[in-house]
Amino acid sequence: MAGSLYVEAKHLLKRRRSFARWWHSLTPFLWVLPALLLYLVFKLVPMVGGLGLSLVRWNGIDPPQFVGLQNFERMLSDEVLGPALWNNIRYALGTVVSKNVLGLFLALLINQSLRGREVYRTALFMPVVMSFVVVGILWAWLYNDQFGLINNLLRIIGLGSIAPDWLGDTRWAMTSLIIVDVWKWYGFHMVIYLAGLQTIPVELYDAGLVDGAGRWRRFWNITLPLLRPVVIVNVTLSLMGALNVFEIPYIMTEGGPANSTNVLALHIYIQSFKFYRMGYGAALSYALLVLVSVVALIQIKLMSRGGHSAEE
Amino acid sequence: MSSKISRRQVLRALALSGTGLALAACQVPAAPAPSAPASPQPEPQNGATGTYQGKFVITSVRNADQSAPLIQAIEEAHPGVKVEWRFMPSERFVELFTAAEVAGDQIDVMDLNGQDLRRYAVGGKLMDLSDISYKDRFREVAIRTYTIGGKLWALPRGGISGFTYLINKKAFERVGLDKEISTYDELKVVAPELKKLGIAPVTHPGKNIYLWPVWQFWSYAQTSKNQSIENTIKTLTGEMKFTDPEHVAALEALHDYAVDGMFIDSVNSLEGDAAWVPFTQGKAAIYYMHTSRIAAYRGGEFPELDMSLIPPLRHVNVDDAVIRQNPGGTGNALGIYAKIKPERETVARSIIDLMTSDTWVRWSNQQAKDPVSCNANVQASDDELALKYSKECSPNQTTYLDWLWPPEVTRAFQENQQAIVALTKKPDEAAQSIQKVLDDLYKDGYRFQT
């Protein structure tokens, strides 16, 4: 009798322990459950819904009509799509290179022991936290040909004859937007580079100094190789941002003049909410998703080849 | 002394603040105080108001703050009715209305931008109002504008206004021109003199892409011999093409302004205020803009500006018999949602009656400083310039063509006109691009409904 009670108690204890273990293993999931639910409701469900939308023709008024893959086929004959993609590529080339070079350069500068370093960091980071609308309006005024600061400064120093019509000239509009994007985001990339720089052991630089390596040599042979993972992150983020860009062209030029700053995201917006082609807009969004994913994947693969890290 | 906070405490604090925020967000915001102008007293309405009591939804392109006295009057005239005024700005009307409809929200009355009427009328979203008994309350042109396929889909609410050439008389006087300019040839003669004085002949907010088609509206009115509406319908139904000579000639008019250096420098990068400022400072002689600028002119002090207004200049090679028409609209389009619940239809009819009554339209006209009222018995404004518009421009006003164009064609005009002004495209090339957009629409199943 006593033996069977003992076995039963042991069994109960075991069950309790296994329940406690199961409950314990479940706890982390419960902590993230609210975030997962939000992700599900506001990300996954709309994404799946968007896929459904891309298969219908719907103008927001009449009932949706199933058209299969017609919306995807339509892209092949969309004459604005090609130039918009080309504008994205130009935008990406301009912003990715400039933001990363400038961000790295500034990170190197303020990584040194300077007086008031925190003030510089804050000041340089400030554009990142400014709203796109504020940035757009601010720069539109700076670029204004009649009373904008930039052209007036050019006039003061005698270069008025070459002062361009920044946002109104098809040759300059895209460059103008690239400058704004770089100004808004270089601080973000600078902070990531700064974090990367601080993980590089000082001993390596000391060893380099002992070996007689100069400043440039130390940068090229120590800093840059060890920063490779950070460079990959920064380039990926800036590239994806450039391919998805919407706010700056929308606020500053609305794709003009003469479509010279029309980008894919703006084209999607116009198709969906100006031309009421909700299905085509959704199809374009999926095409953009695939494009961004593929480009980012290729870029990560290419940049990861033969990489080093600070731990090696 | 250091006090450590545990993760659990942080999470609890976050949960509490989150709940607090959620509760705060659920609270109804405080009602804004009604603003000027002084609101008229509600007047008795025609017909029965029904017995409906409860929420009544008006979607409007005007905001609730502006409309507070009107909302109050509606509620006073319909005891038990609580108006929910949903502001849906014109540029976001489609997305907001679609979202509301898909979500099954209550919609009763739609106070639309006139531009959107066709879309919602032919889309079956509006009730046929042809049976209303008080059509004679409105000016004929206003009723005609909102009649499609022989049926009246909305009542005009507000003022008749439009785009006109605002001129700075002082600027022209400085180059010895005392009389009102009336032709493009005259402008060409004085333009070099104006420029010598640092005055641009014409300023325009060209960065705002939506404002380029207004140039086509006046120029096509002239090159089509005042048949712009009729011929636009013919073009959209396939009887004519945008590549026909009269369409191209209208684009050439804009090209002439660009090639002859009439526009202010950097015209394609100027926004509303940036184009208005040089005009007010005497640095531009003509500003082709909406009549709402009359109020802005009266509201400010501009020593360098003596403003007047004229219809668009007669362009070269245009028959003398052709009238210089300017484009305009006939107020908001006030309609009843087609799927309104039957128990609210009577009250909806009573409310649109009130909203378009002489009393409330006069109030609306004063608010917007409209030059001409949609209501026949209402004098909108006694301002000298408004009266001039009413006398010299309004009788020849033609409806904005983009109220007929599908949005794709409107966009094609915007882009191509910008390109013409930037001198990156010639008028005939632009016309071909625009026609191609229409051809593609036809392939896609588009049909213009008359």
PDB file of all heavy atoms in Angstrom, chain A residues 213-238:
ATOM      1  N   ALA A 213      52.846  51.371 -39.342  1.00  0.00           N
ATOM      2  CA  ALA A 213      51.727  51.680 -40.255  1.00  0.00           C
ATOM      3  C   ALA A 213      51.226  53.101 -40.014  1.00  0.00           C
ATOM      4  O   ALA A 213      51.028  53.504 -38.864  1.00  0.00           O
ATOM      5  CB  ALA A 213      50.601  50.689 -40.034  1.00  0.00           C
ATOM      6  N   GLY A 214      51.021  53.813 -41.092  1.00  0.00           N
ATOM      7  CA  GLY A 214      50.514  55.178 -40.987  1.00  0.00           C
ATOM      8  C   GLY A 214      49.008  55.192 -40.782  1.00  0.00           C
ATOM      9  O   GLY A 214      48.367  54.142 -40.737  1.00  0.00           O
ATOM     10  N   ARG A 215      48.433  56.400 -40.710  1.00  0.00           N
ATOM     11  CA  ARG A 215      46.995  56.558 -40.452  1.00  0.00           C
ATOM     12  C   ARG A 215      46.145  55.859 -41.532  1.00  0.00           C
ATOM     13  O   ARG A 215      45.232  55.124 -41.237  1.00  0.00           O
ATOM     14  CB  ARG A 215      46.689  58.057 -40.432  1.00  0.00           C
ATOM     15  CG  ARG A 215      45.389  58.416 -39.783  1.00  0.00           C
ATOM     16  CD  ARG A 215      45.229  59.909 -39.822  1.00  0.00           C
ATOM     17  NE  ARG A 215      46.046  60.562 -38.813  1.00  0.00           N
ATOM     18  CZ  ARG A 215      45.575  60.978 -37.639  1.00  0.00           C
ATOM     19  NH1 ARG A 215      44.307  60.794 -37.341  1.00  0.00           N
ATOM     20  NH2 ARG A 215      46.344  61.573 -36.763  1.00  0.00           N
ATOM     21  N   TRP A 216      46.502  56.115 -42.783  1.00  0.00           N
ATOM     22  CA  TRP A 216      45.755  55.555 -43.910  1.00  0.00           C
ATOM     23  C   TRP A 216      45.854  54.034 -43.929  1.00  0.00           C
ATOM     24  O   TRP A 216      44.897  53.319 -44.148  1.00  0.00           O
ATOM     25  CB  TRP A 216      46.278  56.178 -45.199  1.00  0.00           C
ATOM     26  CG  TRP A 216      45.607  55.639 -46.431  1.00  0.00           C
ATOM     27  CD1 TRP A 216      46.183  54.875 -47.396  1.00  0.00           C
ATOM     28  CD2 TRP A 216      44.235  55.823 -46.805  1.00  0.00           C
ATOM     29  NE1 TRP A 216      45.260  54.566 -48.353  1.00  0.00           N
ATOM     30  CE2 TRP A 216      44.042  55.137 -48.020  1.00  0.00           C
ATOM     31  CE3 TRP A 216      43.153  56.491 -46.226  1.00  0.00           C
ATOM     32  CZ2 TRP A 216      42.826  55.104 -48.664  1.00  0.00           C
ATOM     33  CZ3 TRP A 216      41.939  56.454 -46.876  1.00  0.00           C
ATOM     34  CH2 TRP A 216      41.781  55.764 -48.075  1.00  0.00           C
ATOM     35  N   ARG A 217      47.088  53.547 -43.693  1.00  0.00           N
ATOM     36  CA  ARG A 217      47.356  52.114 -43.697  1.00  0.00           C
ATOM     37  C   ARG A 217      46.541  51.418 -42.596  1.00  0.00           C
ATOM     38  O   ARG A 217      45.976  50.343 -42.800  1.00  0.00           O
ATOM     39  CB  ARG A 217      48.857  51.912 -43.454  1.00  0.00           C
ATOM     40  CG  ARG A 217      49.344  50.511 -43.630  1.00  0.00           C
ATOM     41  CD  ARG A 217      49.709  50.262 -45.071  1.00  0.00           C
ATOM     42  NE  ARG A 217      50.307  48.952 -45.252  1.00  0.00           N
ATOM     43  CZ  ARG A 217      50.346  48.334 -46.387  1.00  0.00           C
ATOM     44  NH1 ARG A 217      49.827  48.899 -47.455  1.00  0.00           N
ATOM     45  NH2 ARG A 217      50.907  47.167 -46.496  1.00  0.00           N
ATOM     46  N   ARG A 218      46.513  52.058 -41.419  1.00  0.00           N
ATOM     47  CA  ARG A 218      45.775  51.469 -40.298  1.00  0.00           C
ATOM     48  C   ARG A 218      44.275  51.411 -40.641  1.00  0.00           C
ATOM     49  O   ARG A 218      43.604  50.445 -40.348  1.00  0.00           O
ATOM     50  CB  ARG A 218      45.995  52.293 -39.018  1.00  0.00           C
ATOM     51  CG  ARG A 218      47.400  52.178 -38.458  1.00  0.00           C
ATOM     52  CD  ARG A 218      47.441  52.531 -36.987  1.00  0.00           C
ATOM     53  NE  ARG A 218      46.953  53.872 -36.704  1.00  0.00           N
ATOM     54  CZ  ARG A 218      47.683  54.982 -36.779  1.00  0.00           C
ATOM     55  NH1 ARG A 218      48.958  54.911 -37.137  1.00  0.00           N
ATOM     56  NH2 ARG A 218      47.151  56.153 -36.497  1.00  0.00           N
ATOM     57  N   PHE A 219      43.789  52.479 -41.290  1.00  0.00           N
ATOM     58  CA  PHE A 219      42.369  52.495 -41.669  1.00  0.00           C
ATOM     59  C   PHE A 219      42.077  51.374 -42.672  1.00  0.00           C
ATOM     60  O   PHE A 219      41.120  50.622 -42.537  1.00  0.00           O
ATOM     61  CB  PHE A 219      42.003  53.857 -42.269  1.00  0.00           C
ATOM     62  CG  PHE A 219      40.637  53.874 -42.899  1.00  0.00           C
ATOM     63  CD1 PHE A 219      39.491  53.908 -42.107  1.00  0.00           C
ATOM     64  CD2 PHE A 219      40.478  53.824 -44.279  1.00  0.00           C
ATOM     65  CE1 PHE A 219      38.232  53.897 -42.681  1.00  0.00           C
ATOM     66  CE2 PHE A 219      39.224  53.810 -44.853  1.00  0.00           C
ATOM     67  CZ  PHE A 219      38.089  53.848 -44.048  1.00  0.00           C
ATOM     68  N   TRP A 220      42.932  51.287 -43.672  1.00  0.00           N
ATOM     69  CA  TRP A 220      42.703  50.363 -44.771  1.00  0.00           C
ATOM     70  C   TRP A 220      42.872  48.905 -44.340  1.00  0.00           C
ATOM     71  O   TRP A 220      42.133  48.034 -44.781  1.00  0.00           O
ATOM     72  CB  TRP A 220      43.665  50.715 -45.912  1.00  0.00           C
ATOM     73  CG  TRP A 220      43.211  50.192 -47.230  1.00  0.00           C
ATOM     74  CD1 TRP A 220      43.801  49.201 -47.955  1.00  0.00           C
ATOM     75  CD2 TRP A 220      42.054  50.614 -47.959  1.00  0.00           C
ATOM     76  NE1 TRP A 220      43.092  48.978 -49.099  1.00  0.00           N
ATOM     77  CE2 TRP A 220      42.015  49.840 -49.130  1.00  0.00           C
ATOM     78  CE3 TRP A 220      41.064  51.572 -47.749  1.00  0.00           C
ATOM     79  CZ2 TRP A 220      41.009  49.984 -50.081  1.00  0.00           C
ATOM     80  CZ3 TRP A 220      40.070  51.707 -48.692  1.00  0.00           C
ATOM     81  CH2 TRP A 220      40.044  50.917 -49.844  1.00  0.00           C
ATOM     82  N   ASN A 221      43.877  48.647 -43.457  1.00  0.00           N
ATOM     83  CA  ASN A 221      44.184  47.257 -43.108  1.00  0.00           C
ATOM     84  C   ASN A 221      43.596  46.782 -41.777  1.00  0.00           C
ATOM     85  O   ASN A 221      43.563  45.580 -41.509  1.00  0.00           O
ATOM     86  CB  ASN A 221      45.702  47.038 -43.074  1.00  0.00           C
ATOM     87  CG  ASN A 221      46.277  47.076 -44.467  1.00  0.00           C
ATOM     88  OD1 ASN A 221      46.537  48.142 -45.000  1.00  0.00           O
ATOM     89  ND2 ASN A 221      46.408  45.931 -45.094  1.00  0.00           N
ATOM     90  N   ILE A 222      43.188  47.703 -40.946  1.00  0.00           N
ATOM     91  CA  ILE A 222      42.611  47.277 -39.663  1.00  0.00           C
ATOM     92  C   ILE A 222      41.128  47.673 -39.580  1.00  0.00           C
ATOM     93  O   ILE A 222      40.253  46.825 -39.444  1.00  0.00           O
ATOM     94  CB  ILE A 222      43.388  47.906 -38.468  1.00  0.00           C
ATOM     95  CG1 ILE A 222      44.848  47.465 -38.504  1.00  0.00           C
ATOM     96  CG2 ILE A 222      42.729  47.510 -37.148  1.00  0.00           C
ATOM     97  CD1 ILE A 222      45.737  48.169 -37.514  1.00  0.00           C
ATOM     98  N   THR A 223      40.878  48.984 -39.700  1.00  0.00           N
ATOM     99  CA  THR A 223      39.511  49.474 -39.478  1.00  0.00           C
ATOM    100  C   THR A 223      38.523  48.883 -40.481  1.00  0.00           C
ATOM    101  O   THR A 223      37.521  48.271 -40.094  1.00  0.00           O
ATOM    102  CB  THR A 223      39.477  51.017 -39.572  1.00  0.00           C
ATOM    103  OG1 THR A 223      40.506  51.542 -38.745  1.00  0.00           O
ATOM    104  CG2 THR A 223      38.143  51.566 -39.123  1.00  0.00           C
ATOM    105  N   LEU A 224      38.807  49.075 -41.751  1.00  0.00           N
ATOM    106  CA  LEU A 224      37.835  48.690 -42.776  1.00  0.00           C
ATOM    107  C   LEU A 224      37.533  47.188 -42.777  1.00  0.00           C
ATOM    108  O   LEU A 224      36.354  46.799 -42.786  1.00  0.00           O
ATOM    109  CB  LEU A 224      38.310  49.172 -44.140  1.00  0.00           C
ATOM    110  CG  LEU A 224      37.206  49.512 -45.130  1.00  0.00           C
ATOM    111  CD1 LEU A 224      36.194  50.478 -44.547  1.00  0.00           C
ATOM    112  CD2 LEU A 224      37.796  50.096 -46.399  1.00  0.00           C
ATOM    113  N   PRO A 225      38.563  46.315 -42.735  1.00  0.00           N
ATOM    114  CA  PRO A 225      38.225  44.880 -42.718  1.00  0.00           C
ATOM    115  C   PRO A 225      37.399  44.489 -41.494  1.00  0.00           C
ATOM    116  O   PRO A 225      36.478  43.684 -41.591  1.00  0.00           O
ATOM    117  CB  PRO A 225      39.593  44.191 -42.675  1.00  0.00           C
ATOM    118  CG  PRO A 225      40.560  45.198 -43.185  1.00  0.00           C
ATOM    119  CD  PRO A 225      40.023  46.534 -42.812  1.00  0.00           C
ATOM    120  N   LEU A 226      37.723  45.073 -40.346  1.00  0.00           N
ATOM    121  CA  LEU A 226      36.992  44.690 -39.143  1.00  0.00           C
ATOM    122  C   LEU A 226      35.598  45.330 -39.085  1.00  0.00           C
ATOM    123  O   LEU A 226      34.744  44.889 -38.337  1.00  0.00           O
ATOM    124  CB  LEU A 226      37.799  45.059 -37.896  1.00  0.00           C
ATOM    125  CG  LEU A 226      39.107  44.276 -37.752  1.00  0.00           C
ATOM    126  CD1 LEU A 226      39.854  44.672 -36.503  1.00  0.00           C
ATOM    127  CD2 LEU A 226      38.827  42.772 -37.715  1.00  0.00           C
ATOM    128  N   LEU A 227      35.413  46.346 -39.881  1.00  0.00           N
ATOM    129  CA  LEU A 227      34.087  46.991 -39.923  1.00  0.00           C
ATOM    130  C   LEU A 227      33.158  46.347 -40.942  1.00  0.00           C
ATOM    131  O   LEU A 227      32.019  46.756 -41.089  1.00  0.00           O
ATOM    132  CB  LEU A 227      34.226  48.476 -40.279  1.00  0.00           C
ATOM    133  CG  LEU A 227      34.345  49.496 -39.150  1.00  0.00           C
ATOM    134  CD1 LEU A 227      34.324  50.894 -39.731  1.00  0.00           C
ATOM    135  CD2 LEU A 227      33.229  49.367 -38.132  1.00  0.00           C
ATOM    136  N   ARG A 228      33.684  45.359 -41.659  1.00  0.00           N
ATOM    137  CA  ARG A 228      32.914  44.787 -42.774  1.00  0.00           C
ATOM    138  C   ARG A 228      31.465  44.422 -42.396  1.00  0.00           C
ATOM    139  O   ARG A 228      30.523  44.779 -43.119  1.00  0.00           O
ATOM    140  CB  ARG A 228      33.644  43.574 -43.348  1.00  0.00           C
ATOM    141  CG  ARG A 228      32.953  42.996 -44.578  1.00  0.00           C
ATOM    142  CD  ARG A 228      33.570  41.681 -44.947  1.00  0.00           C
ATOM    143  NE  ARG A 228      34.829  41.867 -45.648  1.00  0.00           N
ATOM    144  CZ  ARG A 228      34.950  41.772 -46.972  1.00  0.00           C
ATOM    145  NH1 ARG A 228      33.901  41.546 -47.715  1.00  0.00           N
ATOM    146  NH2 ARG A 228      36.112  41.901 -47.539  1.00  0.00           N
ATOM    147  N   PRO A 229      31.240  43.717 -41.261  1.00  0.00           N
ATOM    148  CA  PRO A 229      29.833  43.401 -40.923  1.00  0.00           C
ATOM    149  C   PRO A 229      28.977  44.656 -40.756  1.00  0.00           C
ATOM    150  O   PRO A 229      27.810  44.675 -41.151  1.00  0.00           O
ATOM    151  CB  PRO A 229      29.953  42.656 -39.588  1.00  0.00           C
ATOM    152  CG  PRO A 229      31.367  42.233 -39.474  1.00  0.00           C
ATOM    153  CD  PRO A 229      32.179  43.210 -40.247  1.00  0.00           C
ATOM    154  N   VAL A 230      29.582  45.694 -40.196  1.00  0.00           N
ATOM    155  CA  VAL A 230      28.826  46.938 -39.995  1.00  0.00           C
ATOM    156  C   VAL A 230      28.556  47.610 -41.340  1.00  0.00           C
ATOM    157  O   VAL A 230      27.473  48.156 -41.568  1.00  0.00           O
ATOM    158  CB  VAL A 230      29.609  47.886 -39.049  1.00  0.00           C
ATOM    159  CG1 VAL A 230      28.838  49.168 -38.819  1.00  0.00           C
ATOM    160  CG2 VAL A 230      29.910  47.202 -37.747  1.00  0.00           C
ATOM    161  N   VAL A 231      29.552  47.542 -42.223  1.00  0.00           N
ATOM    162  CA  VAL A 231      29.362  48.121 -43.561  1.00  0.00           C
ATOM    163  C   VAL A 231      28.214  47.393 -44.264  1.00  0.00           C
ATOM    164  O   VAL A 231      27.354  48.021 -44.888  1.00  0.00           O
ATOM    165  CB  VAL A 231      30.669  48.027 -44.397  1.00  0.00           C
ATOM    166  CG1 VAL A 231      30.429  48.494 -45.829  1.00  0.00           C
ATOM    167  CG2 VAL A 231      31.774  48.844 -43.762  1.00  0.00           C
ATOM    168  N   ILE A 232      28.200  46.060 -44.120  1.00  0.00           N
ATOM    169  CA  ILE A 232      27.131  45.281 -44.770  1.00  0.00           C
ATOM    170  C   ILE A 232      25.766  45.730 -44.250  1.00  0.00           C
ATOM    171  O   ILE A 232      24.836  45.971 -45.024  1.00  0.00           O
ATOM    172  CB  ILE A 232      27.337  43.764 -44.539  1.00  0.00           C
ATOM    173  CG1 ILE A 232      28.589  43.302 -45.282  1.00  0.00           C
ATOM    174  CG2 ILE A 232      26.112  42.967 -45.009  1.00  0.00           C
ATOM    175  CD1 ILE A 232      28.974  41.859 -45.034  1.00  0.00           C
ATOM    176  N   VAL A 233      25.672  45.879 -42.931  1.00  0.00           N
ATOM    177  CA  VAL A 233      24.391  46.306 -42.341  1.00  0.00           C
ATOM    178  C   VAL A 233      24.009  47.687 -42.879  1.00  0.00           C
ATOM    179  O   VAL A 233      22.873  47.912 -43.317  1.00  0.00           O
ATOM    180  CB  VAL A 233      24.499  46.344 -40.797  1.00  0.00           C
ATOM    181  CG1 VAL A 233      23.294  47.061 -40.190  1.00  0.00           C
ATOM    182  CG2 VAL A 233      24.597  44.932 -40.247  1.00  0.00           C
ATOM    183  N   ASN A 234      24.959  48.598 -42.862  1.00  0.00           N
ATOM    184  CA  ASN A 234      24.660  49.966 -43.301  1.00  0.00           C
ATOM    185  C   ASN A 234      24.289  50.035 -44.777  1.00  0.00           C
ATOM    186  O   ASN A 234      23.346  50.734 -45.150  1.00  0.00           O
ATOM    187  CB  ASN A 234      25.876  50.869 -43.041  1.00  0.00           C
ATOM    188  CG  ASN A 234      25.733  51.596 -41.723  1.00  0.00           C
ATOM    189  OD1 ASN A 234      24.628  51.899 -41.292  1.00  0.00           O
ATOM    190  ND2 ASN A 234      26.846  51.875 -41.075  1.00  0.00           N
ATOM    191  N   VAL A 235      25.036  49.311 -45.591  1.00  0.00           N
ATOM    192  CA  VAL A 235      24.740  49.335 -47.031  1.00  0.00           C
ATOM    193  C   VAL A 235      23.372  48.694 -47.292  1.00  0.00           C
ATOM    194  O   VAL A 235      22.571  49.208 -48.078  1.00  0.00           O
ATOM    195  CB  VAL A 235      25.861  48.642 -47.842  1.00  0.00           C
ATOM    196  CG1 VAL A 235      25.460  48.473 -49.297  1.00  0.00           C
ATOM    197  CG2 VAL A 235      27.148  49.444 -47.758  1.00  0.00           C
ATOM    198  N   THR A 236      23.104  47.590 -46.594  1.00  0.00           N
ATOM    199  CA  THR A 236      21.808  46.926 -46.780  1.00  0.00           C
ATOM    200  C   THR A 236      20.668  47.866 -46.401  1.00  0.00           C
ATOM    201  O   THR A 236      19.689  48.017 -47.145  1.00  0.00           O
ATOM    202  CB  THR A 236      21.732  45.648 -45.916  1.00  0.00           C
ATOM    203  OG1 THR A 236      22.882  44.854 -46.190  1.00  0.00           O
ATOM    204  CG2 THR A 236      20.478  44.853 -46.222  1.00  0.00           C
ATOM    205  N   LEU A 237      20.796  48.488 -45.239  1.00  0.00           N
ATOM    206  CA  LEU A 237      19.725  49.386 -44.781  1.00  0.00           C
ATOM    207  C   LEU A 237      19.529  50.556 -45.745  1.00  0.00           C
ATOM    208  O   LEU A 237      18.407  50.904 -46.101  1.00  0.00           O
ATOM    209  CB  LEU A 237      20.048  49.924 -43.381  1.00  0.00           C
ATOM    210  CG  LEU A 237      19.916  48.922 -42.229  1.00  0.00           C
ATOM    211  CD1 LEU A 237      20.355  49.562 -40.916  1.00  0.00           C
ATOM    212  CD2 LEU A 237      18.476  48.432 -42.103  1.00  0.00           C
ATOM    213  N   SER A 238      20.653  51.144 -46.179  1.00  0.00           N
ATOM    214  CA  SER A 238      20.508  52.316 -47.044  1.00  0.00           C
ATOM    215  C   SER A 238      19.999  51.918 -48.427  1.00  0.00           C
ATOM    216  O   SER A 238      19.213  52.642 -49.051  1.00  0.00           O
ATOM    217  CB  SER A 238      21.824  53.099 -47.151  1.00  0.00           C
ATOM    218  OG  SER A 238      22.878  52.244 -47.450  1.00  0.00           O
TER     219      SER A 238
END
